[in-house]
Amino acid sequence: MTDTGTHMALARKYDSAALRWGDKMRTLGYYDAYLGFLSEPGLEPRDTERVIDVGAGTAAFAEAWVAVNGAPDDILLVDLSPQMLARGKSLLSRRGVDARTKVAALGHSLRQERADEVLTAHLLEHVPDPLGALCDLKAVLRPGGRLRLVFSKPHWCNAIIWLKWRHRTFGLDEMRALIRTAGFEIESEYAFPAGPPSRTSYGLVARRPV
């Protein structure tokens, strides 16, 4: 299947899941997990922020960012699924945030965007070239900007999830190597402490050098 065909198939899957996705994320503890990750000391954002959430889904990660840091000057939600984006925009509006949305994949469609922080949760698992995707994310960041990344790690829970989503997982050493090869500096790592996120996911903060 071509990249376009893969994107369309994945978008259809997420469109069909959008109605229940946000509630499911909360029930499984991912929203609270993102709050914990984003609340780690020593990594406060700049005073003036442009934030992009790539692979935003229903914006659980972006909502957690707003809950921890307050409304940024500008926030853009990017996803393949229009239905997911509509629900994410509605969710953030309840917090007084008027998010922009863009139906897009990584690559040329984001090349005109610039951000102080890029959020992405469980995106790299679905792309054919994770290193290329990380380079695309770096290109969006301004010098000194941060990438806040959540990715799937090897665990039997992810083997079950794979049956539906056909995603991949990354060992921590593998992800560190990818991040550094893409030209980032790793600032911190985060092991989710409890619930399904502790079994399926890992967090990492990386910085684009000045």
Side-chain angles (χ1 to χ4, degrees), residues 8-147:
M8 290 177 64
L10 192 60
R12 286 193 295 268
K13 279 188 175 183
Y14 277 111
D15 274 343
S16 67
L19 184 63
R20 299 176 297 279
W21 191 263
D23 290 340
K24 186 175 183 180
M25 291 288 284
R26 277 174 163 72
T27 299
L28 292 174
Y30 284 92
Y31 175 72
D32 289 338
Y34 295 157
L35 286 174
F37 174 39
L38 294 168
S39 298
E40 281 288 279
L43 292 172
E44 293 84 2
R46 300 172 179 175
D47 291 337
T48 300
E49 282 294 335
R50 297 193 72 226
V51 178
I52 301 178
D53 187 350
V54 183
T58 54
F61 203 7
E63 185 192 8
W65 195 98
V66 170
V68 171
N69 300 297
D73 294 332
D74 179 68
I75 187 164
L76 172 65
L77 309 178
V78 180
D79 201 273
L80 293 172
S81 165
Q83 295 299 322
M84 287 278 190
L85 287 175
R87 296 189 69 81
K89 182 176 177 66
S90 175
L91 187 99
L92 286 176
S93 72
R94 297 173 202 167
R95 291 186 174 272
V97 175
D98 184 17
R100 295 187 293 127
T101 62
K102 180 177 284 192
V103 178
L106 276 170
H108 69 277
S109 59
L110 292 182
R111 286 176 188 165
Q112 301 307 312
E113 299 289 347
R114 289 295 178 268
D116 301 297
E117 296 218 347
V118 168
L119 316 175
T120 186
H122 302 293
L123 170 72
L124 296 184
E125 295 89 324
H126 297 287
V127 300
D129 179 11
L131 178 58
L134 285 167
C135 291
D136 285 340
L137 293 170
K138 181 187 170 194
V140 172
L141 278 167
R142 293 171 176 160
R146 287 194 180 103
L147 169 67

